[in-house]
Amino acid sequence: MTPIDKLHTENKGIPLGVLWQSVADRIKSSDFNDRMEATRKDMGPKLTAALVRQLAAQGFEAKVVEGASSRSAESAIDESKLPPTDAVLRIYLNEVGMFSARFSKDYVPRVNLSAYLVRGETEDSLYSETLYYGADATSEKASWSVPANPEHRWSSFSELVERPQEVVQSYDHAVDALATRIAQNIRAQVAPSSVAVRPAMP
């Protein structure tokens, strides 16, 4: 699983062309990232643990590949340390943060990730999907769209940073919801008897 470099906040309610507000928004995003550093570092391990639980609940043999981190700047995973025969689940956290839409004052969680399940020996693709949680989830019926808990929203940036425990809870909910959906989607495409899944964690 690739680590998260930064948590972002984005406020689409800023009027176009107002430069000082745009700069202020970038400063807020940097401040939010600093305040939530521990949460950012914990998200990868929490998601890995949730995936193991949820895959097991779907009937898969799921274990974490320990010590698969790479020293290469190009990859977070050392492919040579992965199991040659089992399937390996790779997760890439594409964007994590808080988002305020153009016609809304509220900030809501955004967690977007890509998941790939490949057979280790042949690299054959068994499952691949990009999932969107919260801000970018547009359909309750689509397999890739995971709505956020409606209670997880904050009316201003100040309220957001004043309630860090609530923010942590919102990301914990995102992790569990995404892990559940990934496991369900894999189960819909792959029979548990045909593969042992190893989530790779750097």
Side-chain angles (χ1 to χ4, degrees), residues 118-169:
V118 298
R119 195 174 294 280
E121 193 171 43
T122 62
E123 289 290 315
D124 290 340
S125 176
L126 302 172
Y127 159 83
S128 64
E129 193 169 30
T130 297
L131 292 92
Y132 300 88
Y133 175 90
D136 297 325
T138 58
S139 170
E140 293 187 5
K141 296 183 179 180
S143 65
W144 50 264
S145 179
V146 186
N149 184 328
E151 296 180 3
H152 294 154
R153 57 181 59 243
W154 297 267
S155 61
S156 67
F157 182 81
S158 296
E159 184 182 24
L160 186 69
V161 298
E162 287 170 1
R163 300 183 178 181
Q165 286 304 114
E166 292 181 9
V167 173
V168 172
Q169 290 171 6

Side-chain angles (χ1 to χ4, degrees), residues 25-198:
D25 198 48
R26 287 197 296 270
I27 293 172
K28 286 180 179 179
S29 183
S30 179
D31 180 48
F32 176 75
N33 180 68
D34 292 343
R35 290 171 181 263
M36 303 304 295
E37 181 178 7
T39 299
R40 174 175 59 83
K41 291 180 177 179
D42 287 345
M43 186 171 286
K46 284 183 176 181
L47 180 54
T48 299
L51 282 166
V52 170
R53 290 194 305 271
Q54 294 301 328
L55 286 165
Q58 292 295 328
F60 292 97
E61 176 192 343
K63 296 181 180 178
V64 178
V65 179
E66 300 287 356
S69 60
S70 171
R71 295 182 180 180
S72 169
E74 298 179 358
S75 175
I77 298 173
D78 185 347
E79 302 288 338
S80 67
K81 295 181 180 179
L82 298 178
T85 56
D86 295 342
V88 176
L89 177 62
R90 300 184 180 97
I91 303 292
Y92 299 88
L93 287 159
N94 302 324
E95 188 167 7
V96 180
M98 290 288 170
F99 177 77
S100 179
R102 193 172 301 282
F103 299 107
S104 173
K105 294 181 179 180
D106 292 341
Y107 282 88
V108 297
R110 166 189 269 164
V111 183
N112 300 336
L113 59 78
S114 296
Y116 304 92
L117 181 66
V118 298
R119 195 174 294 280
E121 193 171 43
T122 62
E123 289 290 315
D124 290 340
S125 176
L126 302 172
Y127 159 83
S128 64
E129 193 169 30
T130 297
L131 292 92
Y132 300 88
Y133 175 90
D136 297 325
T138 58
S139 170
E140 293 187 5
K141 296 183 179 180
S143 65
W144 50 264
S145 179
V146 186
N149 184 328
E151 296 180 3
H152 294 154
R153 57 181 59 243
W154 297 267
S155 61
S156 67
F157 182 81
S158 296
E159 184 182 24
L160 186 69
V161 298
E162 287 170 1
R163 300 183 178 181
Q165 286 304 114
E166 292 181 9
V167 173
V168 172
Q169 290 171 6
S170 76
Y171 286 132
D172 286 347
H173 183 275
V175 162
D176 289 338
L178 284 164
T180 299
R181 183 64 61 83
I182 290 170
Q184 291 171 345
N185 291 352
I186 290 176
R187 179 64 181 83
Q189 297 185 32
V190 183
S193 59
S194 67
V195 61
V197 181
R198 302 285 194 264

Side-chain angles (χ1 to χ4, degrees), residues 6-17:
K6 188 174 183 180
L7 299 180
H8 299 272
T9 59
E10 184 178 0
N11 184 356
K12 283 294 186 181
I14 295 176
L16 295 176

